[in-house]
Amino acid sequence: MSKRAAAALVAGAMVGVLAACGSGGGGGPAGKGSGHKLVVGFSQVGAESGWRTANTKSIQESAKKAGIELKFSDAQQKQENQIKAIRSFIQQKVDVIAFSPVVESGWDTVLKEAKDAHIPVVLTDRAVDSKDESLYASFLGSDFVEEGKEAGDWLVKEYAAGGGDVNIVQLEGTTGSAPANDRKSGFADAIKVQPRFKVVASQTGDFTRAKGKEVMQAFLKSQSKIDVLYAHNDDMALGAIQAIEEAGRKPGTDIKIVSVDGVKDAFTAMSQGKINFDVECNPLLGDQLMDLVKKVKAGEQVPRRIKTEEGTFTPEQAAAALPNRQY
């Protein structure tokens, strides 16, 4: 063989090796090369509160920082919109689907579609009510039952020295949602230790400030004596404060207010004595979520349930924390 022919054979062999290395070694989502950018489809509940806005911002900023492509969908608080979004993510063959469910039930069919497409699902902030736990990889979020219990425990201690009935009105979150169900049950378990604690009216305010005000106005007209308002989130509590003040009563004094979330606007109201106790629910889940989806996509073992760390606040504690509050 001539030197020229031998050189041509060696060059051809090298081209073949390089082509094989560049092929990614298998194709398909699971076999994409190291240069593949992780794609996550995320369906958000909506923008119903300051908490939710902060949650969305955290997720979007964390995805960008982590180099993850985020396909974001706002469900506008409608389950059918989330189901459509999840099916769209499946069609787009994203790497991981994450979502915060509007309500707890009714997800098995679409989650099975994701499972059949070999796309793992991560729940964030809210859980689903499904007997088949194989339909999702992990749930990252707060313990809503514990949040309700914290609110009830504070109330029991606050009225420990007094006697007589304590009339409570409750502003519930979106009907059928995990936080509404669990914050209600946790609170009920905590206050049942004394029969004098009576929930005289309870209605959904849909987690919004406007609806919270509207329902509180109705409570003030229908109930002759209200001692305490328990709100499932701060936005409803803030709307209720407007209604209480417009009725000529003093929030935090004439009607004690217990709420959940710990957003900056609520801390401002607390520093003014308008909210008596707030249970924190941290919306800044972005970094934890991005870390979790990376592990899930890599096939690593992850906990089925990951809790966020949170606290509780009195007006004095809220006033001290207010200058540095991020949400």
Side-chain angles (χ1 to χ4, degrees), residues 59-239:
I59 289 167
Q60 291 174 330
E61 290 181 349
S62 294
K64 186 176 181 180
K65 183 172 64 176
I68 292 173
E69 181 181 341
L70 188 72
K71 294 184 180 294
F72 183 87
S73 175
D74 182 339
Q76 299 178 328
Q77 294 183 275
K78 294 179 181 178
Q79 184 179 29
E80 58 267 32
N81 289 347
Q82 284 199 307
I83 291 172
K84 287 177 184 176
I86 292 169
R87 285 186 170 137
S88 174
F89 295 150
I90 293 169
Q91 290 173 353
Q92 294 175 67
K93 298 180 180 180
V94 301
D95 293 303
V96 181
I97 292 171
F99 77 114
S100 180
V102 175
V103 294
E104 286 189 292
S105 60
W107 300 103
D108 282 22
T109 300
V110 73
L111 292 186
K112 189 173 186 308
E113 291 171 19
K115 181 181 177 181
D116 291 344
H118 306 290
I119 300 174
V121 173
V122 172
L123 306 177
T124 175
D125 172 42
R126 299 181 180 184
V128 298
D129 182 12
S130 175
K131 292 180 181 179
D132 186 356
E133 291 192 349
S134 72
L135 295 177
Y136 61 93
S138 184
F139 166 45
L140 165 67
S142 304
D143 186 333
F144 300 133
V145 174
E146 183 61 25
E147 290 172 353
K149 186 178 180 299
E150 292 271 15
D153 286 345
W154 177 84
L155 197 61
V156 171
K157 290 176 184 176
E158 180 70 9
Y159 283 89
D165 289 346
V166 178
N167 287 354
I168 304 163
V169 294
Q170 181 173 221
L171 281 169
E172 299 179 32
T174 302
T175 301
S177 68
N181 293 341
D182 293 351
R183 287 171 186 166
K184 183 177 182 178
S185 66
F187 183 77
D189 284 344
I191 65 172
K192 71 181 181 183
V193 296
Q194 294 187 30
R196 68 194 186 101
F197 290 104
K198 301 182 184 299
V199 178
V200 295
S202 186
Q203 187 176 326
T204 180
D206 218 20
F207 285 129
T208 68
R209 197 172 299 200
K211 194 70 182 290
K213 179 180 179 179
E214 177 188 320
V215 176
M216 191 65 201
Q217 287 172 331
F219 285 163
L220 290 165
K221 291 176 182 176
S222 64
Q223 302 298 323
S224 58
K225 180 177 179 284
I226 299 174
D227 300 302
V228 176
L229 162 67
Y230 168 47
H232 288 187
N233 84 332
D234 287 340
D235 275 76
M236 291 190 296
L238 292 165

Side-chain angles (χ1 to χ4, degrees), residues 272-284:
Q272 298 166 350
K274 296 178 181 182
I275 295 176
N276 305 85
F277 189 70
D278 210 348
V279 181
E280 184 178 37
C281 182
N282 187 359
L284 307 181

Side-chain angles (χ1 to χ4, degrees), residues 46-66:
E48 77 281 3
S49 63
W51 190 99
R52 188 64 56 191
T53 301
N55 180 243
T56 293
K57 184 179 179 183
S58 172
I59 289 167
Q60 291 174 330
E61 290 181 349
S62 294
K64 186 176 181 180
K65 183 172 64 176

